[in-house]
């Protein structure tokens, strides 16, 4: 019943910016810790960023810290990833994910892939000159 749909990917040049969106339907958005993951060709899926139910706690992978910003709008049931200063190393399929059951509370983030319950279909981000 829960569905996640990503959008906003595309082909951009180095140093460009993109904003990804993820819309959740079928359940109350604010009950989920949310995360962004990515998977490059030939590599394992890795966490990019995560955000608590309240939005007040965030986590970023070292590779994107300072360039990417995760945010959420609980009133719109939408998760965002603002990506700046994109480089070819950022090329990957980006997935949003929702964690309902790993822990209670509004001020915690989930970092491990196994703890997420629902996944979107992914959106391709390609950074190339």
């Amino acid at each position: 019943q829960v569905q996640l749909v990503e959008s906003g990917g595309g082909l951009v040049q180095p140093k460009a910016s993109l904003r990804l969106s993820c819309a959740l339907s079928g359940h109350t958005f604010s009950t989920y810790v949310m995360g962004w993951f990515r998977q490059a060709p030939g590599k394992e899926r890795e966490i990019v960023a995560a955000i608590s139910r309240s939005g007040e706690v965030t986590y970023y992978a070292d590779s994107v810290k300072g360039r990417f910003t995760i945010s959420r709008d609980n009133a719109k049931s939408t998760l965002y990833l603002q990506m700046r200063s994109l480089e070819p190393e950022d090329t990957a399929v980006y997935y949003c994910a929702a964690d309902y059951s790993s822990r209670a509370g509004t001020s915690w983030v989930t970092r491990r892939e196994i703890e997420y319950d629902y996944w979107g279909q992914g959106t391709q981000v390609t950074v190339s000159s």
Side-chain angles (χ1 to χ4, degrees), residues 30-47:
S30 61
T31 64
Y32 295 90
V33 174
M34 300 296 297
W36 286 101
F37 291 77
R38 67 185 182 186
Q39 187 168 25
K43 299 184 66 176
E44 295 291 316
R45 188 160 56 188
E46 63 180 356
I47 191 167

Side-chain angles (χ1 to χ4, degrees), residues 13-106:
Q13 296 184 359
K15 302 183 181 181
S17 297
L18 277 176
R19 189 177 75 159
L20 305 183
S21 299
C22 172
L24 181 147
S25 62
H27 200 230
T28 306
F29 179 70
S30 61
T31 64
Y32 295 90
V33 174
M34 300 296 297
W36 286 101
F37 291 77
R38 67 185 182 186
Q39 187 168 25
K43 299 184 66 176
E44 295 291 316
R45 188 160 56 188
E46 63 180 356
I47 191 167
V48 176
I51 188 167
S52 65
R53 294 178 175 91
S54 66
E56 65 184 15
V57 179
T58 58
Y59 167 81
Y60 296 95
D62 288 343
S63 59
V64 307
K65 191 172 299 182
R67 299 188 297 121
F68 291 10
T69 302
I70 189 171
S71 62
R72 65 191 296 160
D73 188 337
N74 285 346
K76 296 181 178 179
S77 297
T78 302
L79 174 75
Y80 302 98
L81 184 68
Q82 179 66 55
M83 304 184 292
R84 302 178 179 89
S85 300
L86 285 163
E87 299 296 339
E89 305 88 78
D90 297 311
T91 296
V93 177
Y94 284 71
Y95 301 88
C96 69
D99 167 22
Y100 176 79
S101 61
S102 64
R103 67 181 71 189
T106 62

